[in-house]
Amino acid sequence: MTMQTPTLQPAPVPGQAPAAQGQPGAAMPPSGRQPEQRRKGAWNALRSMFVGRLDAVPLATKIVACTVVLLIVGTVSISFTLRQLVGNYMLEKTDSQLLRQAQLVLNSIDTVRQSNDDNRSNSLLGSYFVQRRNENNAIMPGEIVPVFKDGVSSKPLLPESGSRGTIQLQQPFTTSAVVSLNGRAVDHSTLTTAESPWRVVALGWKDESTGKTGICYIGLSLSDQLDTARTLTRYCIIVGCAIVILGALLATLVTQRTLSPLKRIEKTAAKIAAGDLSQRVPSAPENTEVGSLASSLNAMLTRIEQSFREQEETTAKMKRFVSDASHELRTPLAAIHGYAELYKMQRDLPGALERADESIEHIESSSTRMTILVEDLLSLARLDEGRGIDLTQQVPLTTLVTDATDDLHALDPDRAIHRGTLAFQPKDGATPSSLRFSDGPMPEVMLKGDGSRLRQVVTNIVGNIHRYTPSDSPVEISIGVMPASISPESLSRMPATETSLHHFTEAVDVSRSMQMGMKYAVIRFSDHGPGVPADSRSKIFERFYTADPSRARLKGGTGLGMAIAQSVVKAHRGFICASESDGGGLTLTVVLPIAPMEPKPLQPVGETHDAGRGRNAKSGGKTAKERRSRKE
């Protein structure tokens, strides 16, 4: 049967007719957008406030708080689950005990009553409650009630006499206790035990002698089960509190230990922000997040410091370049201006024509020098921009070096010029690896590059030898091809120092042992002139560098030749450096990439042995011949 709820209509306003539904002029319900927007605004404000406060909490506090909350939730959940499982298990054991021993209790009612009368409630039979009822559910005399300490009795709360209520046979149920104190002082533990609920089962009984039937209620107090559950709960609380406290302490220690590198990173970042770019984050194992972060930060800081130093060096070079260029251009301009004024002053004097020719000659030489200087500056600017160079030509490098050698011989006929091959000398004991000159014909070398630019490099080097060394000092010019385990990009980024040349020779040694790498053409010009001090050798590639403080340029040149040579070599992904010659002087070494090495095909063992033996025989014959020629 269903009930209908009457619809409540609003009471009409006195003096106003009710508006029909859908009739124009009827009151429309207010739009629900404004309350919805207010709710959304309030929710967003509450969420932003909560999130803002949460974001303001330190990370270590968040981790420890989350750990403590998880431990509390886990401990409470485990304790509650364990209590429920133990309680259910003990309740099932009590039910099985009631059902299994019910017939024994019925058959031993006299024994149970005797145990109860003797106050032996601790015995097994003395702990049972027994109540019999007849077929009309009326309580029969002879009820057995357990008696506890100090005369306290307790029995379950059952339906009234004459009623069975909803109790079903052989279905155990739990009911509260009815306690009788008998006017005595009772301690708390006894009262708690007596007030414990009962587990009761109703069974049918029949007297075989009289034929009477009825229902018998048999019950057991749940005091022992509740005491076990309380003890278990108490232990769970103690152990749970200990686990939470120890977990909080351990989480605090581990969090502080784990986040201590982050604090060091923070302090390092503060020092770097203060301007000390040399600071680095302390290293940590890279398999951890903090270690990976520290490694990445150190790599980033290295790049930043390198970029900052390069920027400072570029700025300093630019300032020095502008100053030097202004100084170099001012000298010929001042000469042109001075000789022009001298010509004006002396053109009306006798012999003005001869003096005019002399002035024009000085003006022409100064303008020529300035033209060469401007052309060199223009070449450098184009090379810096990557223009004015074609790297797709096949260049006969040996021909370029030979032509430059012939030019040097034409300029200095008295100079001894030795041509030869440049070979690699492996490390021998304490002697480091090096490049060795062997007199003889130079090998033919071809590579891709810009022929005119490479010729300019060789010409500038030979021109410096002609200008800055005595005309009778010997010169060794050699070419060699050797592999090296270094990429052209890395080679071109190396500074023009002797340390870089040593790294190159080490890469050659590694490539010879591993049979892999890049083939490079190595050109070396060694003179035996006055040389350059060790601290100034890398500076000869700077623009407008000169060892002459007066910048008189008495020997010609603009101070840009070696700078142009270095720019051309770097454009070819090569390397150039200056070092000291054996016996004194200056050696310029140019390294240019040719092509990657091709792997050598494997040969049978017999052929390899025969070929090696043939080579040894040939080398041995050549060595003997050389020895005979040396003795002669």
Side-chain angles (χ1 to χ4, degrees), residues 244-281:
V244 171
I245 294 173
L246 291 177
L249 294 176
L250 184 61
T252 303
L253 294 176
V254 172
T255 302
Q256 290 180 352
R257 177 70 177 176
T258 305
L259 297 182
S260 58
L262 290 180
K263 295 185 179 297
R264 293 196 294 267
I265 291 175
E266 179 185 0
K267 294 180 180 178
T268 304
K271 294 179 181 178
I272 293 173
D276 187 4
L277 296 179
S278 63
Q279 292 291 328
R280 292 295 180 269
V281 177

mmCIF file of all heavy atoms in Angstrom, residues 244-281:
data_model
loop_
_atom_site.group_PDB
_atom_site.id
_atom_site.type_symbol
_atom_site.label_atom_id
_atom_site.label_comp_id
_atom_site.label_asym_id
_atom_site.label_seq_id
_atom_site.Cartn_x
_atom_site.Cartn_y
_atom_site.Cartn_z
ATOM 1 N N VAL A 244 54.347 3.932 15.569
ATOM 2 C CA VAL A 244 54.181 5.288 15.037
ATOM 3 C C VAL A 244 55.326 6.194 15.487
ATOM 4 O O VAL A 244 55.888 6.962 14.695
ATOM 5 C CB VAL A 244 52.814 5.857 15.466
ATOM 6 C CG1 VAL A 244 52.717 7.342 15.126
ATOM 7 C CG2 VAL A 244 51.688 5.101 14.787
ATOM 8 N N ILE A 245 55.701 6.105 16.764
ATOM 9 C CA ILE A 245 56.781 6.962 17.268
ATOM 10 C C ILE A 245 58.112 6.607 16.608
ATOM 11 O O ILE A 245 58.850 7.488 16.127
ATOM 12 C CB ILE A 245 56.880 6.835 18.801
ATOM 13 C CG1 ILE A 245 55.620 7.415 19.460
ATOM 14 C CG2 ILE A 245 58.125 7.559 19.321
ATOM 15 C CD1 ILE A 245 55.551 7.190 20.952
ATOM 16 N N LEU A 246 58.407 5.291 16.556
ATOM 17 C CA LEU A 246 59.654 4.882 15.911
ATOM 18 C C LEU A 246 59.644 5.220 14.427
ATOM 19 O O LEU A 246 60.666 5.642 13.862
ATOM 20 C CB LEU A 246 59.869 3.379 16.113
ATOM 21 C CG LEU A 246 60.176 2.923 17.543
ATOM 22 C CD1 LEU A 246 60.301 1.405 17.609
ATOM 23 C CD2 LEU A 246 61.458 3.577 18.049
ATOM 24 N N GLY A 247 58.485 5.028 13.784
ATOM 25 C CA GLY A 247 58.383 5.378 12.369
ATOM 26 C C GLY A 247 58.578 6.861 12.126
ATOM 27 O O GLY A 247 59.232 7.262 11.158
ATOM 28 N N ALA A 248 58.019 7.691 13.022
ATOM 29 C CA ALA A 248 58.191 9.140 12.875
ATOM 30 C C ALA A 248 59.656 9.536 13.050
ATOM 31 O O ALA A 248 60.195 10.349 12.281
ATOM 32 C CB ALA A 248 57.321 9.871 13.891
ATOM 33 N N LEU A 249 60.320 8.928 14.076
ATOM 34 C CA LEU A 249 61.743 9.229 14.274
ATOM 35 C C LEU A 249 62.578 8.766 13.088
ATOM 36 O O LEU A 249 63.449 9.504 12.590
ATOM 37 C CB LEU A 249 62.240 8.568 15.561
ATOM 38 C CG LEU A 249 61.645 9.094 16.873
ATOM 39 C CD1 LEU A 249 62.152 8.282 18.058
ATOM 40 C CD2 LEU A 249 61.979 10.571 17.053
ATOM 41 N N LEU A 250 62.303 7.545 12.624
ATOM 42 C CA LEU A 250 63.063 7.016 11.482
ATOM 43 C C LEU A 250 62.804 7.840 10.222
ATOM 44 O O LEU A 250 63.736 8.136 9.455
ATOM 45 C CB LEU A 250 62.690 5.552 11.254
ATOM 46 C CG LEU A 250 63.468 4.823 10.146
ATOM 47 C CD1 LEU A 250 64.952 4.803 10.486
ATOM 48 C CD2 LEU A 250 62.944 3.407 9.973
ATOM 49 N N ALA A 251 61.532 8.211 10.002
ATOM 50 C CA ALA A 251 61.213 9.041 8.828
ATOM 51 C C ALA A 251 61.901 10.397 8.911
ATOM 52 O O ALA A 251 62.385 10.923 7.899
ATOM 53 C CB ALA A 251 59.698 9.226 8.721
ATOM 54 N N THR A 252 61.951 10.953 10.132
ATOM 55 C CA THR A 252 62.636 12.244 10.292
ATOM 56 C C THR A 252 64.123 12.130 9.980
ATOM 57 O O THR A 252 64.693 12.952 9.246
ATOM 58 C CB THR A 252 62.442 12.761 11.721
ATOM 59 O OG1 THR A 252 61.033 12.871 11.998
ATOM 60 C CG2 THR A 252 63.095 14.124 11.897
ATOM 61 N N LEU A 253 64.762 11.071 10.518
ATOM 62 C CA LEU A 253 66.191 10.892 10.272
ATOM 63 C C LEU A 253 66.479 10.633 8.800
ATOM 64 O O LEU A 253 67.390 11.235 8.208
ATOM 65 C CB LEU A 253 66.726 9.733 11.125
ATOM 66 C CG LEU A 253 66.722 9.951 12.648
ATOM 67 C CD1 LEU A 253 67.193 8.687 13.366
ATOM 68 C CD2 LEU A 253 67.595 11.133 13.022
ATOM 69 N N VAL A 254 65.687 9.723 8.191
ATOM 70 C CA VAL A 254 65.922 9.398 6.775
ATOM 71 C C VAL A 254 65.643 10.607 5.890
ATOM 72 O O VAL A 254 66.377 10.881 4.933
ATOM 73 C CB VAL A 254 65.052 8.193 6.367
ATOM 74 C CG1 VAL A 254 65.131 7.958 4.864
ATOM 75 C CG2 VAL A 254 65.486 6.948 7.108
ATOM 76 N N THR A 255 64.579 11.352 6.214
ATOM 77 C CA THR A 255 64.248 12.533 5.408
ATOM 78 C C THR A 255 65.344 13.586 5.511
ATOM 79 O O THR A 255 65.769 14.163 4.499
ATOM 80 C CB THR A 255 62.910 13.115 5.868
ATOM 81 O OG1 THR A 255 61.892 12.106 5.758
ATOM 82 C CG2 THR A 255 62.520 14.308 5.004
ATOM 83 N N GLN A 256 65.802 13.836 6.736
ATOM 84 C CA GLN A 256 66.884 14.817 6.888
ATOM 85 C C GLN A 256 68.155 14.355 6.192
ATOM 86 O O GLN A 256 68.861 15.148 5.562
ATOM 87 C CB GLN A 256 67.150 15.061 8.371
ATOM 88 C CG GLN A 256 66.039 15.808 9.079
ATOM 89 C CD GLN A 256 66.333 16.025 10.549
ATOM 90 O OE1 GLN A 256 67.313 15.492 11.086
ATOM 91 N NE2 GLN A 256 65.487 16.801 11.219
ATOM 92 N N ARG A 257 68.439 13.048 6.299
ATOM 93 C CA ARG A 257 69.629 12.515 5.637
ATOM 94 C C ARG A 257 69.497 12.587 4.117
ATOM 95 O O ARG A 257 70.450 12.921 3.403
ATOM 96 C CB ARG A 257 69.834 11.059 6.068
ATOM 97 C CG ARG A 257 71.002 10.356 5.392
ATOM 98 C CD ARG A 257 72.320 10.914 5.869
ATOM 99 N NE ARG A 257 73.435 10.195 5.267
ATOM 100 C CZ ARG A 257 74.701 10.513 5.441
ATOM 101 N NH1 ARG A 257 75.012 11.540 6.228
ATOM 102 N NH2 ARG A 257 75.662 9.825 4.869
ATOM 103 N N THR A 258 68.295 12.304 3.615
ATOM 104 C CA THR A 258 68.082 12.311 2.166
ATOM 105 C C THR A 258 68.050 13.717 1.613
ATOM 106 O O THR A 258 68.559 13.978 0.512
ATOM 107 C CB THR A 258 66.773 11.582 1.830
ATOM 108 O OG1 THR A 258 66.809 10.261 2.390
ATOM 109 C CG2 THR A 258 66.584 11.476 0.323
ATOM 110 N N LEU A 259 67.450 14.641 2.366
ATOM 111 C CA LEU A 259 67.302 16.007 1.865
ATOM 112 C C LEU A 259 68.490 16.904 2.209
ATOM 113 O O LEU A 259 68.494 18.066 1.798
ATOM 114 C CB LEU A 259 66.018 16.634 2.434
ATOM 115 C CG LEU A 259 64.711 15.955 2.014
ATOM 116 C CD1 LEU A 259 63.530 16.700 2.609
ATOM 117 C CD2 LEU A 259 64.580 15.890 0.501
ATOM 118 N N SER A 260 69.457 16.374 2.954
ATOM 119 C CA SER A 260 70.628 17.203 3.258
ATOM 120 C C SER A 260 71.388 17.617 1.993
ATOM 121 O O SER A 260 71.874 18.754 1.915
ATOM 122 C CB SER A 260 71.560 16.463 4.221
ATOM 123 O OG SER A 260 71.971 15.226 3.671
ATOM 124 N N PRO A 261 71.509 16.730 0.952
ATOM 125 C CA PRO A 261 72.124 17.232 -0.292
ATOM 126 C C PRO A 261 71.345 18.382 -0.921
ATOM 127 O O PRO A 261 71.943 19.271 -1.537
ATOM 128 C CB PRO A 261 72.143 15.992 -1.197
ATOM 129 C CG PRO A 261 72.137 14.836 -0.269
ATOM 130 C CD PRO A 261 71.304 15.269 0.878
ATOM 131 N N LEU A 262 70.020 18.376 -0.781
ATOM 132 C CA LEU A 262 69.239 19.492 -1.319
ATOM 133 C C LEU A 262 69.569 20.791 -0.584
ATOM 134 O O LEU A 262 69.615 21.861 -1.206
ATOM 135 C CB LEU A 262 67.745 19.186 -1.206
ATOM 136 C CG LEU A 262 67.204 18.091 -2.129
ATOM 137 C CD1 LEU A 262 65.714 17.899 -1.889
ATOM 138 C CD2 LEU A 262 67.461 18.446 -3.582
ATOM 139 N N LYS A 263 69.801 20.691 0.718
ATOM 140 C CA LYS A 263 70.193 21.897 1.460
ATOM 141 C C LYS A 263 71.561 22.384 0.997
ATOM 142 O O LYS A 263 71.799 23.600 0.885
ATOM 143 C CB LYS A 263 70.189 21.609 2.959
ATOM 144 C CG LYS A 263 68.802 21.299 3.525
ATOM 145 C CD LYS A 263 68.841 21.135 5.028
ATOM 146 C CE LYS A 263 67.453 20.854 5.574
ATOM 147 N NZ LYS A 263 66.517 21.975 5.342
ATOM 148 N N ARG A 264 72.475 21.407 0.724
ATOM 149 C CA ARG A 264 73.776 21.819 0.191
ATOM 150 C C ARG A 264 73.638 22.438 -1.191
ATOM 151 O O ARG A 264 74.344 23.402 -1.530
ATOM 152 C CB ARG A 264 74.716 20.606 0.152
ATOM 153 C CG ARG A 264 75.098 20.080 1.521
ATOM 154 C CD ARG A 264 76.302 19.174 1.446
ATOM 155 N NE ARG A 264 76.012 17.957 0.705
ATOM 156 C CZ ARG A 264 75.603 16.829 1.260
ATOM 157 N NH1 ARG A 264 75.397 16.769 2.574
ATOM 158 N NH2 ARG A 264 75.385 15.759 0.529
ATOM 159 N N ILE A 265 72.729 21.880 -1.985
ATOM 160 C CA ILE A 265 72.465 22.469 -3.303
ATOM 161 C C ILE A 265 71.934 23.886 -3.151
ATOM 162 O O ILE A 265 72.311 24.805 -3.885
ATOM 163 C CB ILE A 265 71.479 21.581 -4.091
ATOM 164 C CG1 ILE A 265 72.145 20.259 -4.477
ATOM 165 C CG2 ILE A 265 70.976 22.300 -5.339
ATOM 166 C CD1 ILE A 265 71.206 19.278 -5.145
ATOM 167 N N GLU A 266 71.069 24.078 -2.154
ATOM 168 C CA GLU A 266 70.514 25.419 -1.907
ATOM 169 C C GLU A 266 71.619 26.401 -1.518
ATOM 170 O O GLU A 266 71.670 27.530 -2.022
ATOM 171 C CB GLU A 266 69.464 25.322 -0.807
ATOM 172 C CG GLU A 266 68.833 26.653 -0.440
ATOM 173 C CD GLU A 266 67.878 26.538 0.727
ATOM 174 O OE1 GLU A 266 67.713 25.417 1.238
ATOM 175 O OE2 GLU A 266 67.313 27.573 1.129
ATOM 176 N N LYS A 267 72.534 25.961 -0.629
ATOM 177 C CA LYS A 267 73.623 26.848 -0.222
ATOM 178 C C LYS A 267 74.558 27.143 -1.400
ATOM 179 O O LYS A 267 75.020 28.277 -1.569
ATOM 180 C CB LYS A 267 74.402 26.207 0.923
ATOM 181 C CG LYS A 267 73.593 26.060 2.205
ATOM 182 C CD LYS A 267 74.418 25.406 3.305
ATOM 183 C CE LYS A 267 73.603 25.258 4.587
ATOM 184 N NZ LYS A 267 74.381 24.573 5.655
ATOM 185 N N THR A 268 74.825 26.107 -2.217
ATOM 186 C CA THR A 268 75.679 26.318 -3.390
ATOM 187 C C THR A 268 75.032 27.286 -4.362
ATOM 188 O O THR A 268 75.697 28.166 -4.927
ATOM 189 C CB THR A 268 75.952 24.974 -4.074
ATOM 190 O OG1 THR A 268 76.533 24.068 -3.127
ATOM 191 C CG2 THR A 268 76.899 25.151 -5.242
ATOM 192 N N ALA A 269 73.717 27.127 -4.565
ATOM 193 C CA ALA A 269 73.010 28.042 -5.473
ATOM 194 C C ALA A 269 73.049 29.471 -4.950
ATOM 195 O O ALA A 269 73.170 30.426 -5.732
ATOM 196 C CB ALA A 269 71.561 27.573 -5.644
ATOM 197 N N ALA A 270 72.970 29.622 -3.615
ATOM 198 C CA ALA A 270 73.046 30.977 -3.055
ATOM 199 C C ALA A 270 74.422 31.591 -3.303
ATOM 200 O O ALA A 270 74.538 32.778 -3.636
ATOM 201 C CB ALA A 270 72.740 30.923 -1.560
ATOM 202 N N LYS A 271 75.492 30.780 -3.169
ATOM 203 C CA LYS A 271 76.834 31.298 -3.443
ATOM 204 C C LYS A 271 77.005 31.649 -4.912
ATOM 205 O O LYS A 271 77.642 32.650 -5.254
ATOM 206 C CB LYS A 271 77.886 30.274 -3.018
ATOM 207 C CG LYS A 271 77.935 30.030 -1.517
ATOM 208 C CD LYS A 271 78.989 28.992 -1.167
ATOM 209 C CE LYS A 271 79.023 28.725 0.331
ATOM 210 N NZ LYS A 271 80.026 27.680 0.682
ATOM 211 N N ILE A 272 76.435 30.809 -5.777
ATOM 212 C CA ILE A 272 76.522 31.099 -7.217
ATOM 213 C C ILE A 272 75.752 32.368 -7.547
ATOM 214 O O ILE A 272 76.190 33.200 -8.358
ATOM 215 C CB ILE A 272 75.998 29.896 -8.017
ATOM 216 C CG1 ILE A 272 76.938 28.695 -7.839
ATOM 217 C CG2 ILE A 272 75.878 30.227 -9.502
ATOM 218 C CD1 ILE A 272 76.410 27.432 -8.441
ATOM 219 N N ALA A 273 74.566 32.529 -6.913
ATOM 220 C CA ALA A 273 73.790 33.748 -7.144
ATOM 221 C C ALA A 273 74.536 34.984 -6.656
ATOM 222 O O ALA A 273 74.352 36.080 -7.196
ATOM 223 C CB ALA A 273 72.433 33.640 -6.435
ATOM 224 N N ALA A 274 75.419 34.785 -5.652
ATOM 225 C CA ALA A 274 76.216 35.917 -5.166
ATOM 226 C C ALA A 274 77.371 36.263 -6.088
ATOM 227 O O ALA A 274 78.029 37.281 -5.881
ATOM 228 C CB ALA A 274 76.744 35.611 -3.767
ATOM 229 N N GLY A 275 77.619 35.394 -7.117
ATOM 230 C CA GLY A 275 78.639 35.716 -8.107
ATOM 231 C C GLY A 275 79.795 34.747 -8.180
ATOM 232 O O GLY A 275 80.658 34.884 -9.056
ATOM 233 N N ASP A 276 79.837 33.740 -7.292
ATOM 234 C CA ASP A 276 80.932 32.778 -7.305
ATOM 235 C C ASP A 276 80.546 31.611 -8.209
ATOM 236 O O ASP A 276 79.923 30.633 -7.777
ATOM 237 C CB ASP A 276 81.215 32.289 -5.882
ATOM 238 C CG ASP A 276 82.463 31.411 -5.815
ATOM 239 O OD1 ASP A 276 83.134 31.264 -6.857
ATOM 240 O OD2 ASP A 276 82.762 30.885 -4.731
ATOM 241 N N LEU A 277 80.918 31.684 -9.490
ATOM 242 C CA LEU A 277 80.549 30.653 -10.451
ATOM 243 C C LEU A 277 81.411 29.411 -10.347
ATOM 244 O O LEU A 277 81.126 28.414 -11.028
ATOM 245 C CB LEU A 277 80.648 31.215 -11.883
ATOM 246 C CG LEU A 277 79.680 32.347 -12.223
ATOM 247 C CD1 LEU A 277 79.895 32.819 -13.653
ATOM 248 C CD2 LEU A 277 78.236 31.910 -12.027
ATOM 249 N N SER A 278 82.442 29.424 -9.527
ATOM 250 C CA SER A 278 83.296 28.251 -9.382
ATOM 251 C C SER A 278 82.726 27.222 -8.416
ATOM 252 O O SER A 278 83.270 26.121 -8.298
ATOM 253 C CB SER A 278 84.688 28.672 -8.900
ATOM 254 O OG SER A 278 84.613 29.282 -7.610
ATOM 255 N N GLN A 279 81.656 27.565 -7.721
ATOM 256 C CA GLN A 279 81.056 26.630 -6.778
ATOM 257 C C GLN A 279 80.404 25.461 -7.528
ATOM 258 O O GLN A 279 79.872 25.629 -8.616
ATOM 259 C CB GLN A 279 79.999 27.333 -5.922
ATOM 260 C CG GLN A 279 80.560 28.353 -4.957
ATOM 261 C CD GLN A 279 81.360 27.699 -3.849
ATOM 262 O OE1 GLN A 279 81.055 26.583 -3.428
ATOM 263 N NE2 GLN A 279 82.385 28.390 -3.377
ATOM 264 N N ARG A 280 80.462 24.270 -6.903
ATOM 265 C CA ARG A 280 79.838 23.080 -7.473
ATOM 266 C C ARG A 280 79.056 22.358 -6.394
ATOM 267 O O ARG A 280 79.392 22.428 -5.199
ATOM 268 C CB ARG A 280 80.885 22.138 -8.068
ATOM 269 C CG ARG A 280 81.580 22.683 -9.295
ATOM 270 C CD ARG A 280 80.608 22.845 -10.448
ATOM 271 N NE ARG A 280 81.275 23.364 -11.635
ATOM 272 C CZ ARG A 280 81.382 24.644 -11.933
ATOM 273 N NH1 ARG A 280 80.869 25.556 -11.096
ATOM 274 N NH2 ARG A 280 81.980 25.030 -13.036
ATOM 275 N N VAL A 281 78.023 21.671 -6.830
ATOM 276 C CA VAL A 281 77.191 20.912 -5.902
ATOM 277 C C VAL A 281 77.951 19.662 -5.481
ATOM 278 O O VAL A 281 78.543 18.983 -6.331
ATOM 279 C CB VAL A 281 75.858 20.528 -6.574
ATOM 280 C CG1 VAL A 281 75.012 19.682 -5.640
ATOM 281 C CG2 VAL A 281 75.103 21.781 -6.971
#
